Amino acid sequence: MTMHRHVFACGDPALDFIATLRARRSARIDVLTAPGRLDAWYLESGLVDSVSPGADADLARARSVREAVYRLVTDRRQGRPYDESALAVVNDAARRPAARPQLAPPGRRTTATPQEALSTVARRAVELLGGPESRLLKECGNPECTDVYVDRSRGARRQWCGMKSCGNRFKAAAYRARKRNALVPAGR
């Protein structure tokens, strides 16, 4: 299977999963465009070592869980009660059998069906939203980015989902603005 190099900057697999729909307020770029892209995400996330090939129904189910997790994360961040329908979708997925690691001669190995991999993601969302790190959830400071991340930084000062993406862009723009302003003579 070709590796697709998904981005994992949010600090938790459940958050990285909801980040597969980028720029939710504008362009809405869905990186899960085919079952193979979803399979690749499961592998690249490290949650499983192998996954049986998914079908269109698996992709539709995964997108539904992704949007439900996003809704619950947004509700938690904004101090609202959880949306009941989103809660039902995530809890239903989390109740299903999850991927189970096995010990093999080379080490730990986790094989899964698409449904087991999705259940593993849903369980991670339950653990995150029901645990102490739920208070550390932040949305990226880039107005075009809607990624939510766990801010484990000292003093909770992190502003960007990741430095490789949004953080570098904003720091470079601020640097260029300072340079421009330094070149403008005083009084102008």
Side-chain angles (χ1 to χ4, degrees):
M1 179 180 294
T2 304
M3 294 305 268
H4 292 88
R5 309 244 186 267
H6 293 281
V7 176
F8 298 91
C10 299
D12 187 274
L15 298 177
D16 291 321
F17 190 65
I18 63 176
T20 60
L21 180 60
R22 319 243 350 129
R24 288 172 180 271
R25 288 187 287 271
S26 57
R28 294 186 63 85
I29 302 164
D30 194 341
V31 299
L32 300 181
T33 55
R37 296 279 295 167
L38 175 62
D39 298 342
W41 188 90
Y42 289 140
L43 295 173
E44 292 174 42
S45 72
L47 292 176
V48 299
D49 298 303
S50 67
V51 62
S52 54
D56 288 336
D58 298 309
L59 180 60
R61 214 171 2 264
R63 285 177 172 165
S64 174
V65 169
R66 176 186 66 192
E67 294 314 297
V69 171
Y70 181 74
R71 177 64 190 263
L72 297 176
V73 165
T74 301
D75 288 346
R76 170 62 80 193
R77 284 186 42 254
Q78 295 178 354
R80 296 186 309 233
Y82 287 135
D83 176 83
E84 290 296 323
S85 61
L87 201 56
V89 168
V90 172
N91 282 335
D92 180 61
R95 272 192 293 274
R96 305 210 180 250
R100 291 174 302 282
Q102 298 290 301
L103 189 58
R108 179 193 63 87
R109 179 128 181 101
T110 304
T111 60
T113 65
Q115 183 174 313
E116 290 169 339
L118 184 59
S119 178
T120 302
V121 171
R123 290 173 185 216
R124 292 299 293 255
V126 168
E127 292 300 320
L128 175 65
L129 291 168
E133 287 193 326
S134 67
R135 62 183 172 72
L136 304 177
L137 297 175
K138 284 188 177 177
E139 188 174 76
C140 183
N142 175 353
E144 296 175 19
C145 180
T146 54
D147 288 356
V148 176
Y149 60 92
V150 179
D151 184 1
R152 295 181 184 104
S153 68
R154 182 180 295 225
R157 293 187 178 145
R158 185 171 155 193
Q159 297 177 352
W160 320 109
C161 59
M163 283 308 295
K164 290 182 179 177
S165 53
C166 296
N168 275 345
R169 268 186 252 140
F170 275 82
K171 286 190 172 206
Y175 174 77
R176 286 190 301 274
R178 283 193 307 274
K179 289 296 239 184
R180 266 193 314 274
N181 290 339
L183 297 175
V184 175
R188 287 196 182 223

